Amino acid sequence: MAIQFQLCFIHVNTSTLSISSVEGPGGGGGSVIDVVAKFGAKADEKIDLSKPLLDAWKEASTLDGPRKAPIEIQVEGTVKAPADPGAFKEPKWITFNRIENFKLSGGGLFDGHGTTAYKREGCKNHDYCGSLPINLRFDFLTNAMIQDITTKDRKQFHVNVLGCKNITFEHFTVSAPDESPNTDGIHIGRSDGVNVLNSEIKTGDDCVSIGDGSKNLVINGVTCGPGHGTSIGSLKLFKNEEPVDGVTVKNCTFTNTSNGVRIKTWPGAEPGTCSNIHFEDITATNVSSPIIIDQKYCPWNKCKINEESKVKLRNISFKNIHGTSALPEAVKIICSATLPCENVELADIEITHSGPTGPAVSQCSNVKPKVSGKQNLAPCSAPIPAKPTSAA
């Protein structure tokens, strides 16, 4: 399998940056390459690290014969992107592409210098605003571990996962201010077997966003906030999107976020399915919409709002979700009138709201959920507004 590693302009402030290749059983010894020592990279924040790191990657991965030995990059310290968004010719900074048995670790930090892009200043005179670079891309990886890594102040998404199989993020940290636009923490698409475990995400958009073609995902032990919560979707805005099947979000905490756990699909768009989605053991603190299914998702009124979503949602469960809601609408399940949600379960939901507009309420449309356990608010008892609003 071809191995590719792409990057654009890296400056480093780190004592250790190494790439190791470890031979499998019966294949002899491996090697550890010190990029700083061997290839002339300097930890002074001035030298562009791109060429030394690419040279080290080539030496570690260009080998004779079939090779399935693991390759690992260890980063200690800070790797910095250019501050000027105009320095990027493509919407990406560092990309790991088509690799088997890969590990990125070491406790290092990837600083995207995104604060210059947050205000979108100068967009009328530049074309980079519509395609700002993603911090870390993991494309078509098989059997990968991303561990003890931090990404900070991205200009766009912090992490994009595409076409991967069996990739785990553990003790992964995302840090960006709540006013940073479109800075999803981890975006996952068309991947099978992604795990996000025991991680902390603070950002200006979805902490974890799950796109089409995602299956067998586990989000466990993640703390989110600020941000927009964990979202499946938005789904079916475009043709040829693939089904979402098998997502579990559990043991997660949301604090001061606009949403908690959410599924969102576009009205009047393309047909599709989203099934076997389970949210459980969730704590919400001052979350605007702790539980939400929004099949009328229409931010900025850019949709066919008078039409129904063509996405069929089935086998969805919300279990043991408790905490406080910043708005009265603690539970909002708005399903499609033409394809009502099927087999939705609400179990042990205890969410409170204190404010001048009254206590927490539960709203439902085109769904008959199965209800069990403790419920401090009457399920599906509140009326639905004539024109429901969508959070971004």
Side-chain angles (χ1 to χ4, degrees):
M1 176 176 288
I3 296 176
Q4 300 178 32
F5 173 46
Q6 303 170 342
L7 45 81
C8 176
F9 306 110
I10 293 181
H11 298 91
V12 65
N13 177 16
T14 175
S15 58
T16 303
L17 182 62
S18 62
I19 297 178
S20 65
S21 60
V22 183
E23 189 62 75
S31 62
V32 177
I33 301 168
D34 188 328
V35 181
V36 174
K38 184 169 183 177
F39 291 93
K42 295 182 179 180
D44 60 4
E45 300 188 40
K46 297 179 181 179
I47 302 298
D48 182 3
L49 187 64
S50 303
K51 187 179 186 302
L53 188 53
L54 285 170
D55 289 343
W57 180 263
K58 182 178 180 181
E59 179 167 321
S61 60
T62 304
L63 304 165
D64 292 334
R67 185 166 181 93
K68 295 183 179 180
I71 291 182
E72 178 175 350
I73 292 183
Q74 294 181 337
V75 178
E76 298 177 11
T78 302
V79 182
K80 294 187 176 183
D84 180 11
F88 296 85
K89 295 180 180 179
E90 297 181 88
K92 57 187 177 182
W93 177 30
I94 299 175
T95 300
F96 301 95
N97 185 31
R98 302 184 185 280
I99 310 168
E100 291 188 18
N101 304 314
F102 172 73
K103 185 174 183 179
L104 175 64
S105 64
L109 183 151
F110 292 85
D111 185 348
H113 269 183
T115 54
T116 56
Y118 293 159
K119 295 182 180 180
R120 300 296 196 263
E121 293 177 348
C123 283
K124 293 183 179 179
N125 300 320
H126 298 280
D127 59 5
Y128 60 72
C129 292
S131 58
L132 291 167
I134 295 169
N135 236 18
L136 300 172
R137 288 193 63 107
F138 300 96
D139 295 345
F140 307 102
L141 271 59
T142 301
N143 302 327
M145 169 67 78
I146 316 301
Q147 189 175 54
D148 298 314
I149 291 294
T150 297
T151 170
K152 175 186 177 184
D153 292 341
R154 189 57 239 140
K155 297 176 178 68
Q156 208 218 65
F157 289 2
H158 286 266
V159 172
N160 191 80
V161 179
L162 176 66
C164 291
K165 185 174 184 179
N166 300 330
I167 179 172
T168 295
F169 294 82
E170 186 172 25
H171 302 300
F172 189 81
T173 302
V174 173
S175 178
D178 58 359
E179 68 270 16
S180 55
N182 203 31
T183 52
D184 290 29
I186 300 175
H187 178 74
I188 302 164
R190 303 201 175 191
S191 296
D192 185 352
V194 180
N195 302 296
V196 182
L197 311 175
N198 304 316
S199 297
E200 181 179 10
I201 302 177
K202 300 178 179 179
T203 191
D205 211 294
D206 293 332
C207 290
V208 179
S209 59
I210 299 166
D212 78 289
S214 299
K215 55 185 178 180
N216 303 317
L217 272 55
V218 175
I219 317 297
N220 193 340
V222 172
T223 61
C224 169
H228 294 182
T230 291
S231 295
I232 297 175
S234 54
L235 298 178
K236 292 300 176 180
L237 177 61
F238 304 106
K239 292 183 178 180
N240 302 319
E241 290 190 20
E242 298 178 3
V244 174
D245 186 11
V247 177
T248 298
V249 180
K250 63 186 299 183
N251 299 320
C252 293
T253 300
F254 300 89
T255 303
N256 299 323
T257 54
S258 57
N259 304 288
V261 291
R262 174 170 63 160
I263 302 172
K264 51 182 177 175
T265 72
W266 290 86
E270 299 298 316
T273 62
C274 177
S275 55
N276 302 309
I277 312 297
H278 305 292
F279 305 103
E280 57 186 274
D281 302 328
I282 303 296
T283 300
T285 302
N286 195 42
V287 174
S288 297
S289 297
I291 296 174
I292 180 168
I293 292 177
D294 185 2
Q295 293 207 262
K296 286 285 189 179
Y297 180 71
C298 187
W300 316 292
N301 294 318
K302 293 183 178 180
C303 71
K304 300 175 182 178
I305 190 62
N306 294 323
E307 297 185 18
E308 297 296 326
S309 174
K310 301 174 185 176
V311 179
K312 179 68 175 183
L313 304 183
R314 60 167 61 91
N315 303 335
I316 316 291
S317 67
F318 301 91
K319 297 182 178 180
N320 190 28
I321 300 179
H322 59 276
T324 59
S325 177
L327 299 174
E329 298 81 15
V331 177
K332 186 184 296 184
I333 304 179
I334 311 300
C335 297
S336 169
T338 55
L339 291 170
C341 294
E342 181 180 324
N343 193 21
V344 174
E345 182 177 4
L346 296 172
D348 296 303
I349 308 298
E350 296 188 87
I351 303 173
T352 62
H353 169 74
S354 298
T357 52
V361 298
S362 172
Q363 299 176 331
C364 300
S365 176
N366 304 309
V367 62
K368 296 180 179 179
K370 175 184 175 182
V371 178
S372 64
K374 296 180 180 179
Q375 305 279 339
N376 74 303
L377 60 165
C380 302
S381 58
I384 301 292
K387 293 184 178 180
T389 58
S390 294

